[in-house]
Each structure stands twice: as C-alpha cells, then as structure tokens.
Amino acid sequence: MEKKRVYTFGNGEAEGRAEMKNLLGGKGANLAEMNLIGVPVPPGFTITTEVCNEYYEKGKEAVVALLKDDVEHALSGVERQMNATFGDAGNPLLVSVRSGARASMPGMMDTILNLGLNEDVVEGLTERTGNPRFVWDSYRRFVQMYGDVVLGMKPFEKNEADPFEVIIDRVKEAKGVRLDTELTVGDLQELTARFKEAVRKQTGRDFPDDVREQLWGAVCAVFDSWMNDRAILYRKMEGIPAEWGTAVNVQAMVFGNMGRTSATGVAFSRDAATGENRFVGEYLINAQGEDVVAGIRTPQQITKTGSERWAKLAGISEEKRRAEYPSMEEAMPEIYGQLDALQQKLENHYRDMQDMEFTVQEGRLWFLQTRSGKRTGAAMVKIAMDLLREGVIDEKTAVMRVEPNKLDELLHPVFDTAALRRAKVLTKGLAASPGAASGRIVFNADDASVRAAAGERVIMVRVETSPEDLAGMAAAEGILTARGGMTSHAAVVARGMGKCCVSGAGELVVDYAAGCLRAGGVTLQEGDFISLNGSTGEVYLGAVATKEAEPDADFSELMALCDKYTKLLVRTNADTPHDAEKAREFGAVGIGLCRTEHMFFEGEKIRAMREMILAETVEGRRRALEKILPYQQEDFKGIFRVMAGCPVTVRLLDPPLHEFVPHHEKEQRELAEIMGVTYDCIRERVESLHEANPMLGHRGCRLGNTCPEITEMQTRAILGAALDLKAEGVETLPEIMVPLTGISHEFAAQEDVIRRTAAELFDERGDRVAFKVGTMIEIPRAALTADRIAGKAEFFSFGTNDLTQMTFGYSRDDIASFLPAYLDMKILPDDPFRVLDRNGVGQLVRMATEKGRSVRPDLKCGICGEHGGEPSSVKFCHTVGLDYVSCSPYRVPVARLAAAQAAIEG
Amino acid sequence: MEKKRVYTFGNGEAEGRAEMKNLLGGKGANLAEMNLIGVPVPPGFTITTEVCNEYYEKGKEAVVALLKDDVEHALSGVERQMNATFGDAGNPLLVSVRSGARASMPGMMDTILNLGLNEDVVEGLTERTGNPRFVWDSYRRFVQMYGDVVLGMKPFEKNEADPFEVIIDRVKEAKGVRLDTELTVGDLQELTARFKEAVRKQTGRDFPDDVREQLWGAVCAVFDSWMNDRAILYRKMEGIPAEWGTAVNVQAMVFGNMGRTSATGVAFSRDAATGENRFVGEYLINAQGEDVVAGIRTPQQITKTGSERWAKLAGISEEKRRAEYPSMEEAMPEIYGQLDALQQKLENHYRDMQDMEFTVQEGRLWFLQTRSGKRTGAAMVKIAMDLLREGVIDEKTAVMRVEPNKLDELLHPVFDTAALRRAKVLTKGLAASPGAASGRIVFNADDASVRAAAGERVIMVRVETSPEDLAGMAAAEGILTARGGMTSHAAVVARGMGKCCVSGAGELVVDYAAGCLRAGGVTLQEGDFISLNGSTGEVYLGAVATKEAEPDADFSELMALCDKYTKLLVRTNADTPHDAEKAREFGAVGIGLCRTEHMFFEGEKIRAMREMILAETVEGRRRALEKILPYQQEDFKGIFRVMAGCPVTVRLLDPPLHEFVPHHEKEQRELAEIMGVTYDCIRERVESLHEANPMLGHRGCRLGNTCPEITEMQTRAILGAALDLKAEGVETLPEIMVPLTGISHEFAAQEDVIRRTAAELFDERGDRVAFKVGTMIEIPRAALTADRIAGKAEFFSFGTNDLTQMTFGYSRDDIASFLPAYLDMKILPDDPFRVLDRNGVGQLVRMATEKGRSVRPDLKCGICGEHGGEPSSVKFCHTVGLDYVSCSPYRVPVARLAAAQAAIEG
C-alpha cells in the first residue's frame, strides 16, 4: 500500500488523532483531535513528518510530485467545507501554512498567513467585505511574510535593516505619518507595489500571483526551515533528533471582521487570576484577533455576569453597558451557547483549565486554538484541588498540576496589579528572594533599624551586604544590592528571612558618601521611596502598593497530598527559633542546617567573639569562649524547643574569622580600648587575618582543627542545651556537623574532639543524650574520598553552594562579570547557583552518596545548599536517593511539592 | 617439628640469613647476613616475629616459658664467643636488647643497652677496666633506660617532666654543676641510688638485680612496644599490618674504651662529600662511640693520606700529627688492615657506598653497623656512575641509586660549608626554590634593578610578590617573602628563573615605610646583607660565601641513561627564550606551558594592556590589542626559534585583569593622563575589577569568552609568529591552550574563535601552519566532564596547581594559617601543592585521562602544574599513563630522572 502522506481534518472528522503526534506533529495531531471531539476548527490538512525526511532525501521536485494529488484532493475538501475556492476572486479561500514538529519548538520555524491572495483576489475580497483597508493590509502583510520566509528577502548582514521595513519607513516618512495605522488604503497599495518591486529586483523574478505556486513555495519553505540555524541549534540544545522532521499544516483562514455577524475573542474556562470556576473572556464584534489584545477598541465581556461586574468596576451604567458593551451572551446568544458548551467540553477533554481563541465568521463559530491556560499561583492550586474534588483528575495529577515555583506567590506579598501597571521600572537585578516590598531608601544597618523602629518601612540598599548588616536587613522590608549573585550573602540571608531581595543590580551605583543611589538616569536620596519585586528582579520608582498573600485550605490540602506521595523529606535551613517556627508551619520535619555564626553578631557576643579571635594564646581564647558558651547554649535551647522531636543539624563555626572583626579604624580603636590593648595590636592582628581568597582560606573545620577549643565550646553548648531540655522533658535529636571537610583525617580529628568533649560533659552532668556526628560535603575532595570519610561520619549533608563554587571554580560574589554572558551564549543553561549542575556538581553528589553508602549503608544523606529549595534540583536529589533536602523556611512548601512530583514521576 | 623461635649468629656463623627478613626482622636478618659474609659482629640471637604474635595470643608467661631453653642455649653460645659470662661479676657479659620489624620503623619501639649490670657486676667491671666513671655512668644510664622502658617510669602527663630527669636536675643543682660530664663518680653513684629509690617508690618493687629477670623484662618490653601508641599510629600511616610483629635482637655489648688496645670509629667506603673512591673515616683510641661525634676529643683520621690531608688543612705539622693524631693505619696497622678489607667486602656485598660503625675491644675488631651512606647530590651521581663503570651495578640500578631531589644541588649554587658553619640563622621560611644566594636587602623592584645595574648583588624582600615585581626578581640574586606557600607567585616565578627563593617566612616583618625588616629580634635596613638557602628555607644574617655548582660528565651520562629507560617525556614551563634555552640544555623536549601574561609587563606593552582593560567598548579594546599584537608576535618568535622542531604549548591569557592595572592613586593619575581620561574614570574602572575571591573570578577562558577579541589577537600572534618562522625555514609545532575550562561549551566557543581566526589569518597570508587546540584541565568540573571536553580538545594539560586549589578548596596564598598545623597533626602527609595528592586530585587526573581517551584515544595528556618537577608526583603521572610532564627549567633533570625511575620500577 502506498504510504499515506496527507491527513485531512474538518467538520468533525479527521484522518489523524491525538496519539499520532510522531507522524503529524503536535499541532497536526491536536487539530485532528479537536475535530474528533466535535470542536469546530477551520478545516485543513497535515503533511506528515515522514515527508520532511523524504524532502531531504529526494529533494523538492520529487516530493512536490509525490504530494500533488493528495494535496489537491485535500484542498478541494477544505474548499467544500468553507464554501470558497482557493484562488477564486469572487469567493476566495485563504489558508495558513504552519510547521508542527513532534516536540514544541516555539518560534524556531516559519509560518505564513493569508496565503491565496493576489491582485484579483484582493479586488474580489474587497468587494465581498466592503473593507478595502483590511484587505490591502492583509495583502501587504502576506507579501512581506512570503517575501521574507519563502523568497529569502532577508537583510544581508545581521545588523542591516530588513529590506521591507526600510520601504515602510520611507513611505511613512514621505507621508509624514508615524504609526502603521495612520497609513491609508492608497499608502498600503503603494507599499505592496514597492514590496513586489523589491522582490523583483533582489530575486530577479516576479512575486508569484499563482496561488498554487504560493502554496508549494510555502510548504517547501516550512520544510526548509527545519534545517535553519536556529532550529538546528535549538534541537542540539534540547536533544531533539533531526530525523524527527516537521509536519506542515495547511488550514483555512477565517475572519472575524466580515461584518456584524463576525467576531473574535479569547476565553478561559476558569478564572486564571483566582482559579474560580467561572467562564471568563473577552470578544469584539467585526474585529480581528489582534484587535482584542491591541487595546485600540475596548473588548467586551463574554458572559453577562462578567460584563456586569466589569461595568461596575469601570463605573459604567447598566444602560450604557447594554447599549455599547453588551456581553456575547446578550449580543450573540446562540453563538454564546455553542461557545459555552464547547469550552466545557474542552476542559473536560483536556482535564484542565483551557485558554481558547475563537473567531465567528459570518455567524459560524471556529476555534483557532485551545491550550492549558497560564494562571497565577493561587489559581493553580485552587484549580488543581477543585478538579480533584470534581473527580476530573486524580490525586497524583493534582500534585503534578502545580508548578512548584508558583507556590511562592502564595507565601509572599505581591504588588497590586493595578498599581504595578502605573509603576516605572528604575532598574533590574537578580530575583534573589521572592515577594514585593516598598519603602524608604536607607544605606546602612543603623539607619534601617532607627527608621524601622520609628515605624517607617525601609528598603536597605547596599553595594553588597555582610554579616554586620544583619540587624538592618531584619528591620527592612526588602534588600537591594548592586553586587552579588543568587547565593550572595544578601540573597541567602533574605531567603532565610522570607524577605524580598533583589541582588546584583549591575547598573545601580550606590554612593554611600553622598547618601544617594543612581540608576536609569535617576538619582535618589536616602528617604526616597522605591519598590522591589523579588520574584522578577525589578526595582520600581516610588511606593507601589502591595498586598499580603494568605495560603488557604486548598494549599494545606495540596501539601497533605504531597506528603502522601513523597519519598524525600524536607527540612529547613534555620538559625533562629523564629525561622524554625515558620518552617515547621510550612511542614519542615527537621533542621538540615543551623548555622551558628549568625548568633555571634549581637552585643556581648560579638565582643567576646572578637576577644577570642584576637587572643594570642589558647588560654586567652578559652577565656573568651567561656563567655560565649552560655549565650550559645541559650540560642540552641530556643531552637531545640521549637523543633522538639525533630532532628536539628547544627553546623560548627564556618566563616573565616575576619568576618567578625572590625575593619575600620574607629571601631578598631574602640575595641582596643575595651580589650585594653593598643590600637596597633588590634590593627596588626586584623591585618594578619586578611586573605587573598577568603572563600578558600582558613575557615570551616580548618578553624576547628587549628583551634579545637572552639569546637569544644560549641559541642558543650549544643549538648548542654539538649541536656537542659531533656530535664524539661523536651526531646531533642542533635546532629553535630563539621563544615568544609576535605580530608578524612580532618573529620576524624574533629569527631574526636566532639566525642571526647561530649563524654566529659555527660560525666559532669551525670546524664546523656543521643547525638550524631557528621559532615558537610562541600569540597570536591570530600566527594571524591567519601568512602574514607563515611568510615567515621554518621551523615553527609551536601553544601551545594560551596560545592558549586569549588567544582566550577566560581566565586559566587564575583560571577556577575561573566555569568550573564555565559547564559546569553548558552555556555551555561542556568545559573549553577540556582539550578544544581547535574553533569558536574551532581556527579559529585551521586558519587559521594554511593561511595559513602558503600562503607556505611545507612548513611543519612541530605542537601542543605540553596538548591534544596529549587524544584528541578530537588527532583535530582530524589533520583540520587538522598534522604532529605533542606531549604529556607519559605521554600519548604516548594520543596515538598517538588519532592512529591519527583516521586510520582519516578 | 617444633617451631624454631630463636636464631643465633656470631663468629662467622648464623642460623638466619638476609632473605629471612619477614621472620627475623630487618636488623636480625642483616646481623645474620654480616656474619655469613665474614664480617665480625658481636654475637647474639634473634627471637622471631612469630613469637611477637604468640606473645599477644598467649601472654607473657606462656611465651617466656616457651622461649626459656632456647634463649639460655643461645646465651651460653654468646658467652662462649665473648669469653665472658652474663651476670658474672669477674668477667661479665653485657647485652643490648633491640626491636627489629620487617619494615623499618625508626624510633617507634624501644631499645635497652648495657643490660646485665648490677652492683656486683659494676664492682667487678670497675676492677677490670680501672675506669669507675665509665662503669658507673653506664650503670646509671642502664637504670634510667630500663626504668623508663621496662618499668614504666614515665611522666604522668604529657607536659610533666621525666621523673629521672627531675632527679638529675636536683643533684646537679645541689652539686652546683651544669653539665653531665662534670658529675663525679660519687655523684653518679648517688644518682643511681636515687633512681632506684624512685623506682621503688613508684612501682613498689626493687630495681631488679637479677640479670635474667632484667633480660626477660627487656624482651617483653620490646614486644609490648609493638603496640604502643606511636607504633600503632606509624603502622596505620604506613599501612603496615599489626600481624607482621617485631623480632627481638639480643646482642653482646662491646666497648672501645677498655684501654689503649680499644678504639671506636665511623668510616665511609667512599667520600660522601665528593663521591671519590677513597676510604675515609675517623676514630678514637680508648673511647666510646659517642665520643667520636660529641666533639670533646678531636677524632683522628683512619687512613694515613686522609690524616696528612687533615693536618695540612688544620695547619698541624707532620711531627705533631704523627705524635698526637696518628691515623689508624699508623697506630693500629693490623686492625686497619682488617678494617680496610672488610669495608671493601661490605661495599662489594651491598654494592653501594657503606657508612660503618666499628669498635675495637681489646685488640678485636667488631662491626656494629653498616648501611648505605648518606651523600651529597654530586657524590650520589659520581658513586652511581663509578659503580656502573666498575661493573658493580647495572644501568637500571645506577638510575635508581640517585635521589631525584638531590640533583638540585648539582644545578644551583650552594653555600661554602665552612662559611655556613659560622653563619647565624635569622629566620626560616619555606624552601621555595633551591640554591644559595646572598646580597643586600632591597624592598622593591626599582631599587633591585638600580642596585643590580650598579653591580651590587641584591636580595629582594617582599611581603608577597606580584607580577609588577618581575623585573626586580630577575635582577635579584634571591627572593624572600613573608607570606605565600610553595606555589605562591614568588615561589613559582623563582623556580622558573632557577633563582633561589625562601617564601612564607612567617616571623618576618617587612616594613616598607621604614625601609627595614625585623626577624629573630634583629632589625635590618635596606642595603644590609642577608643570605638565603632556598634548599632548606634558612635565612642567614650577613653575606655567606657561595660556590657555583657545575654539572659534569657523570651528570650527562646519567641523564642519557634516564632517556634510555623513560616512557614519560619531559617538557618545560618557560615564558622567555632564555628559560626555553636553559630548559633545552637540561633536556626538555618541548614547552608544556608558555604563559603569555608575563609578556605584558614591559614598557609599551603594559600601557597598551591597561588601555585594553580600561576600554569601555569592543572597539576600544580592539585598538589597544592591535598595539599589543606585534609585540606578542615577536615574543612568540623568540620562543619558537629556540624550540625549533619541538612542540610549544601556549596558554592564552589567564590572570584576572586587575593584576595588570595600577592600584595606587599616583599611578592611576599618571595612567589617566596618558589615556586622556579623568582620574575618577580610571579609579572607578579599577574598583569595578575588584573581586572578593580573584582565584575564582573573571579569568582564564572566562576572559576569552567575554572578550573574544583577546583570543583573536593572541591566536594571530601565535600563528603569525609560526608563519614568519616557516618563511625563515624554522619548524614550529604550536599548541594553543585554553585556560580554566570548566564547561565543554566554554571550550567549544574558544576553539571556534581560534579556528576562525586561524582561517582568516591563513587566508590573508596565503600560507598555513599545522597547530593543535587543547585545554588546561584545572577545574574539577573539567575533569568530571572530560569526555565532553575531549570531543573538541586535541590535548589536555593538567594544571595541578589550580586543580589542587579547587579540589581541596585551598587558596595557595592563604594556606600558611593552617597548613603547618595540618602537617604537624598528620592530617595531611605533605603540602599538596608540593606533592600531588593522589587520593583526591590524582583521582581527578586519572578520571579525566580515562574519560578523555574514551572519546579520543590519541588524546595527548600532560601535566604543567608545579608537581611536574616533583619526583613522586612524576612517578604518579607515569602510572596514570600521561604522555609528558612539564616543569620549570631547573627541574627538568629531576623530572627526567624520576620518570626513568618510574619506568624502571614498572
């Protein structure tokens, strides 16, 4: 049997169906399917993807010959259904020619609309529609599109102007008009003539008037576009084989601007903003699709209730509404009835909220497109849970329906949509910590605290932040920095606090001395208002109104569903009882990373800490540490109490010591006075702590090993707190974590100090608590030698921030100089500090987990880097078989959802 | 048959032999062997290593019972041969009891000398020797040693004093003496009595007078010491199994201080300083071994010619010499004859220069020890080549006989030995680049150049060096820095220049402002003399005389032998024609790393470079790069010409750009004037280049990818130079190397720029040259994804300096704060920047080589980090199957030797 190359569809019948995506492409299969379920779509036919391969094997002529009969046959079917004839001046059929591959390749290949027009057809159509402007505009667009796509009328060089655009500019200049819409019918006729002249000049041939020549030219152009540079690059990046080929869809054009019985519109089967189950949409009578969205005419509501609500908001009287802006339900009741029935049918068929485009041509309804509609985070959750309750989808599907990242919207304030529309963007940075915030500009922590205490909302603006800024960051509504990436200090701390942050706004100039900032040609002073969108990275001038988001019952039900399917537990990174509490509310089942250094920055503590650091002897350090011990112990008690019954992984002191000492003369002099030593002594000691590359310096367990007394103090504080709570009847599960291990002996030495100190403490107290000792895996060498380390370590926690830094050799504070270029050049698919790099860093995570468990099969493995809250990274952690991920409190729901999805997918 | 537990030796007979090392331990087997070849050693017996295991299985009593008869039997044999009786007051036999395991474990286990003494024996012996001081001193030493080792008379706490030392101090105080030698016989008697009293007090038992009890106590103590903490730790680190056990050697004591027919001495079968084949050594009549080395009496020469030479140097007349310092050859001609014959026998037997200890007791010669003698580098080469020529050893053995690191001494100046003896050590740093140098202190590059131009020898002293110091470093005799490790800028550059360098002298305070340095309590001004020993890290006060080393014919022959056996090629790291020439002289077969950045620091070049960096636009950069191009091309021509016919791997620009810009206001203002821009403009641009962690910042191919015009310029310079030389008839083999690749696309993008630029250049010039494009593997991710990278890269060069930094997470500039502690604590066996870390970094090197070759079987792999010149690392490279190592010119011979040894070892 001869191979079938052309599949027709139309009038409720189709030769293809949804499952034939490989042969008909996504679009072709979908058009067939819609026909089969009784949705009226303009008739047409699909040339299969196999023909694309034949095209490249046998060449153009051979393939056209093979197709000719089938295409003619299919075309006459379309003519019959549309009651119009291709190329007929009196009653012409126009068609679109579109590509459609097996996998979606948006914008990669070419499309031609309005095919079938020539001077004769234009004349006939003008007569038929009485709308010469529409017809001539369609014609000049067709000539331009066809010239570009099929005849290769492209600019010669990348930076040269498009030859047609040059002509348009010249004509507009000659006519003295600025907008395309100001062009008259005569102008459009002149443009078209000039376009054709340009084609003749450049290609040496006339623009084809023969509509069949047009059709074959377009079909072949679509096949050709399968091998254009963009498409090849796209396939390479997405791993799509060239042999898949593209199908070609030829479909009748329909027009909503054929008079008062024609219309066009867009509709959603449910409310995309709130998720409410009501049919919403907008339409315009006697209009083209683009008119609805272009904002030239005011679109009308589809449903009567929608229309009434709209009028009320817009302050329009019921009389005026009914007269000037009637709903489709009122103006075209019969068509509305069809539309409503069909939208329900489509939603039921696709089992999801649909976003539909339709056109009414002379009283006949056509669907042009349907797809799952984009929606807000809140709508996403509500629709999924509603569909589940309605029995349309099952639990797993409901879980899969929510994009994890969209959950953020439910947990953070958002800008008021209307207010946002009027706001002016000042500059843009990285979307470092989601949410919306506005307030007065302050440039340092003290000012932030003072103004906030006085009841003002402030935004803290810094070149970059450091631990000294913590109090100010806590007092501020949001944080804006000029430098630093997604895992800069500002970003990490802000996410931990659930506070909005835009980091690394490269164009922003912060002038501390002058107390002002400059960006986008504007200079703002301290006290001026700005607003931040931490979900997009945008910074707005002035105060943009925000509204609080409140997770609701649907959210809780979704989370409960997640827990039913997940395998990966979700813990949190939290350093304070407040964060820990928030995280427990969000469902965290433990703390995966409790950093202790943040605890050292308040009053007495920072002073004792500095004494410790600046001490010249072990005894001096011990004395200072003894002062810190009771504070630390209290801090841990607070956290342990909140996390009663849950494991809490406490990381021993990690950052380089110079982060704790003052670097300015004034503060150094003050410290010298307090400590009773000379200023020079302090200055020299501080200078001696300076490091060329602090990220690779004396920190982590390198500190604990050179100053074991610090580890001893911290062990006493952690286990002392646990013993105190045991006495109160509170259960604790402390896990002591050694940071920055790179060598098995390095861990063993620290483990020894910890176990020895614990034994001493238990002896002294006459009581004991169970605890674990494990390590961060954040140095490549630790991953490479994980089998040796697991000999002693009871758990691994992957610190993927540092692991990414070391594996790539990137300093997260310095990547702004090349990362944007790398993302642009597609050298990197994503910021590796945001999305875990599977090939490199992920390989180490997998290797370390396997090596570790080869020695200790019950080794508990988790991740506590920023990736622990990024959905695709969480899914990777699931596939590697980690036991848990740990992320900042506000990312806990995101991680729970991603973890559940990973379990369902896998 | 009953298992044999005790093996006797003595009088030219032995039950064991050299091959029985596993059973008798190294020492026991050697003592047996010496007997068998006719070397007189004091008789004795060895208790086997198997008994050690029985000891731990069955316990002390059982083992003593098992051994009793055999030991008694062996002991009577010894008594017979020594004509003395164990425990007999009239003619006592004294013995030593020593451990001796299969593998050498120096100092790990215990030894007891002079066993067999008690009050009666002391009395008898005093009578026999007429030397009560010697006898009582021996007795108090025995009591002390036995008390310590067998009876556990150790300090209670680590930091407490030894109980016997406390007694000695008290007695000395009471007697008002400072030295042990000032104690009288009476004092020694009192000491002994007090020692015994202390034993009684602490152990509750009397010190044993029964010599058999003493013997069994000592034997068991040796077995016990197999399981002491030090020994367990040592075995763990060296991978020695506990089951190997230790043997116990019991051997008769002999004494060289029994009158005028007794003597003691040390001798070498060849000259250990020069390697000359002459018998040398020193002896003393009527003395103990320690007297020869203690410097209390002047030792005499063994041979007559040696004695005459010594007298001449010491300015002693022939009469006085013969009378007061006669040679052994003259004073004891018969014994001398035996000694000379035996030393030759031992050298022939062990086929190496021997270092021997002997004692003559009452006219009878005993050898106490023989071992391969330590020797200077020059002697090592000469002896190996002489022995080869003499037919004593074969070629492979000759190659194996030379320690690669010792070759350094042949290539660098060394201090005059006599002058060194008088020199005062000022401070100590890292032995960063070998050799000896002295000169006047200068603190900056300009002063160094000016003074050197005026003919002065200068030592450049810096806190740390930067590329701006290059000219000064080149002008100086040596470099001393206060900060920085073995791979700091100063260390790497100095090694490249073959210039002496001591780096990271932590105690050194450099005060640029005051123009002085402080160390060891001394302040020195600019212009004062200091001297550096780059082979030991010592810094001396004043000018210590040095002498040049000249590699000779033996050296050349050795190198030729190496090439005969080696599999691994040796290239060099060289950035200048001068270095390249030096390296070729030393036998380098190519350049493995030619850094281009050092070329940018002279006159016009640095100015154009700065213009390029500070340019705001691509065009501005291109203009500046066009100025640099001709200079670069000339630089490459110079190097290619020297390396005609050899491959030259050129690394594209690698360091962060801020290394090239001025950081001080004065220079910035000058630059602003030259560039015709404002000072603020320069200052801001320089500030914007600042990075928190420059090692992990915008450098390497991240520069080449964000500014491809730099790569274009460098490609043009490299290939332009090659084309110019082709026109001159000089063959070039350029290999263009992309630095710091971490992502395969990153390399691909640079490769594309290089190949495109090459095609353009070849078109323009109408000629072409062959070239390769490859990459550094110095980022962990590059090693992990080496299979992807090898798809495009034609060669890999492991940059193990950076790879070590990233894999460990160490900044080589900042490790001084914890590395010494880590080496002390045995957390690290070696500085990983000196010796390649096999478990971590080595794992990545192996992985990358395997992954790379899985995709491209002929992938050329080499190493160009500092490890390329470190012998054990070179051997590792051989086992991994690399094609070559590349090291600084002066390390080329070292690497060639290490490579040959690796090949011979198999």
Side-chain angles (χ1 to χ4, degrees), chain B residues 408-518:
Chain B
D408 259 343
E409 292 176 18
L410 278 76
L411 309 173
H412 293 286
V414 290
F415 282 122
D416 180 79
T417 327
L420 197 60
R421 214 171 287 144
R422 292 185 299 269
K424 180 180 176 315
V425 173
L426 182 67
T427 188
K428 202 166 181 305
L430 299 172
S433 178
S438 61
R440 292 178 188 279
I441 294 167
V442 293
F443 292 108
N444 63 60
D446 287 348
D447 292 348
S449 304
V450 169
R451 280 187 185 256
E456 288 184 346
R457 301 165 75 91
V458 300
I459 301 287
M460 183 147 169
V461 181
R462 302 283 302 167
V463 175
E464 45 199 335
T465 63
S466 75
E468 298 180 23
D469 297 322
L470 275 178
M473 295 169 77
E477 301 296 313
I479 298 117
L480 169 63
T481 68
R483 284 203 200 133
M486 292 297 292
T487 55
S488 62
H489 179 265
V492 172
V493 171
R495 281 198 293 274
M497 291 178 170
K499 194 152 287 200
C500 165
C501 173
V502 173
S503 70
E507 288 176 7
L508 182 72
V509 178
V510 179
D511 189 336
Y512 292 134
C516 68
L517 63 81
R518 281 186 295 279

Side-chain angles (χ1 to χ4, degrees), chain A residues 696 746 781 809 811 822 837, chain B residues 696 702 746 781 811 822 837:
Chain A
L696 304 175
E746 206 175 18
R781 197 178 184 285
S811 159
Y822 270 32
D837 159 55
Chain B
L696 304 175
R702 299 166 198 171
E746 205 175 20
R781 197 179 183 283
S811 160
Y822 271 31
D837 159 55

